[in-house]
Amino acid sequence: RHTRSPAVTGVQTCALPIFVLCAAASEGLEPVKFGVLAPLTGTNAEYGKAFDVGTKMAVDEIKVAGGVNGRLFELEISDSKGDPKESSDLCRQYVDDEKIMAIIGDFTSSTCMANAPIVDSAGLVQLSPTASNPKYAGMSDYCFTTMGAQDVEAPFFVRYIIKKFLGFGKVGVIYINSDWGKACFEHFKKQCEVEGVDIVSSVNYVQDEKDFSSLITRLKAADPEVICIMDQGAVPQIINQIRSINWDVKLTALSPGTSQQILDLCGKNAEGLVVSSLFFFDPDKPELVAWGKEYTSRSGLAPTHHPVLAYDCVYLLAEAVKACGDGPITRQAIRDNLAKVEMVGMSGPIKFNEEGGVTSKYLICEVENGQYVLRAGYDYSEE
């Protein structure tokens, strides 16, 4: 089992991971190449940029550390636009490129699930930092994710955020009508029945929807104590449109984590928003502060768990490559080694289950005075 501390790259200094990847990169050896699928444009562009910057930070650190088994890493990053068809077309291109040893991405469960049969037939790993539909990882032996599935997060959200932390019994839900959104809502709904929480109204919308006024009107008529928004990219628009009608209902969001985009686009409208998050940049931990500053300097964004998970994905693949030793680095070897990796990354302990997923624990964060603050730690659910 390997344990490492997050490292910080920069022009002047670079703190290396605790474990030694190798003595030095050997001359003449080709780099190990990974494809990255991410929505660099479109509704979820904030998260695509997180993938872009987070993976590059890890690759740069590995280069300074001397590579893995004498090899450096190389990334080919493509814009999936968050569209399943676009993502699948790019996935096929990666499959056809024999130099691509694994894929990091895509962002949404829908894109990853669309790619699952493609990577399965090609024997190519698709390691998503964020896909959380419970069905995704089990679709193929080559599908992995570092994001906890919605059969864990959605019940947590009901039990520990809606009922225990906020103390509400009547909730309105607005969610994106996608593979992820439908799975999220179904698990949320089941837990509401267990906890005695009443979903007084639920509405949904399609990708790239802009006008939520009619849906908000339906939610308001049901008089919920709290609203739960289930999406990533559309959350700021929904918040702003709710506040534009002077509705001061308590707001929560499941999935965007501590998104800087929400703060930037919503301003005061985001005050009091409560979210679940896999990770929080604790200001009392210097190594996390340093990593966060480096990420912000490269991206112009405040760090969330999304770049952290993308960063960790590179190191997971580094462990899989390292386990190849002096043998050939093949797609199959990376898959087999990745399944066995147990690592403490920036995001915490990572160990894949038999299906290629992970079991995650969640934090509770709230917007206060224009910034996210930690309200409850990982042990909250056990109190």
Side-chain angles (χ1 to χ4, degrees), residues 129-263:
T130 52
S132 61
N133 188 305
K135 296 180 181 178
Y136 160 66
M139 292 178 71
S140 167
D141 287 343
Y142 297 88
C143 288
F144 295 81
T145 179
T146 56
M147 176 71 81
Q150 283 310 315
D151 56 357
V152 175
E153 184 176 11
F156 169 87
F157 208 94
V158 175
R159 179 180 296 173
Y160 297 110
I161 294 184
I162 300 296
K163 187 175 182 179
K164 184 176 179 180
F165 179 72
L166 294 175
F168 291 137
K170 297 196 311 180
V171 60
V173 179
I174 179 168
Y175 66 95
I176 186 169
N177 189 358
S178 65
D179 291 327
W180 174 87
K182 289 183 284 189
C184 184
F185 177 68
E186 286 305 311
H187 288 288
F188 187 95
K189 181 179 179 182
K190 288 179 182 178
Q191 194 65 35
C192 280
E193 294 171 356
V194 172
E195 303 296 335
V197 174
D198 185 15
I199 299 179
V200 296
S201 180
S202 62
V203 296
N204 63 77
Y205 53 92
V206 297
Q207 179 78 31
D208 297 326
E209 182 69 51
K210 302 297 183 186
D211 184 0
F212 303 96
S213 56
S214 63
L215 300 180
I216 292 171
T217 298
R218 287 167 56 186
L219 288 172
K220 191 172 188 298
D223 194 28
E225 297 171 291
V226 58
I227 295 294
C228 182
I229 307 167
M230 299 178 182
D231 194 6
Q232 294 98 17
V235 176
Q237 292 90 336
I238 294 171
I239 290 174
N240 285 336
Q241 290 181 38
I242 286 175
R243 295 306 189 216
S244 72
I245 62 171
N246 296 317
W247 188 18
D248 62 355
V249 65
K250 186 67 175 179
L251 297 178
T252 65
L254 196 167
S255 190
T258 52
S259 165
Q260 179 67 30
Q261 181 173 272
I262 292 175
L263 301 182

Side-chain angles (χ1 to χ4, degrees), residues 23 26 53-54 56 83-84 132 208 225 249 251 318 340 346 382:
S26 300
V53 177
K56 287 177 179 176
D83 178 71
S132 61
D208 297 326
E225 297 171 291
V249 65
L251 297 178
K340 301 172 186 176
M346 174 78 76
E382 299 169 359

Side-chain angles (χ1 to χ4, degrees), residues 233-303:
V235 176
Q237 292 90 336
I238 294 171
I239 290 174
N240 285 336
Q241 290 181 38
I242 286 175
R243 295 306 189 216
S244 72
I245 62 171
N246 296 317
W247 188 18
D248 62 355
V249 65
K250 186 67 175 179
L251 297 178
T252 65
L254 196 167
S255 190
T258 52
S259 165
Q260 179 67 30
Q261 181 173 272
I262 292 175
L263 301 182
D264 292 344
L265 296 180
C266 294
K268 292 183 179 179
N269 288 341
E271 198 68 16
L273 174 72
V274 176
V275 300
S276 54
S277 183
L278 287 168
F279 185 80
F280 183 74
F281 278 86
D282 188 339
D284 294 328
K285 295 183 179 179
E287 70 277 11
L288 297 184
V289 172
W291 194 96
K293 286 181 178 178
E294 175 66 14
Y295 174 77
T296 299
S297 72
R298 292 188 181 212
S299 68
L301 299 170

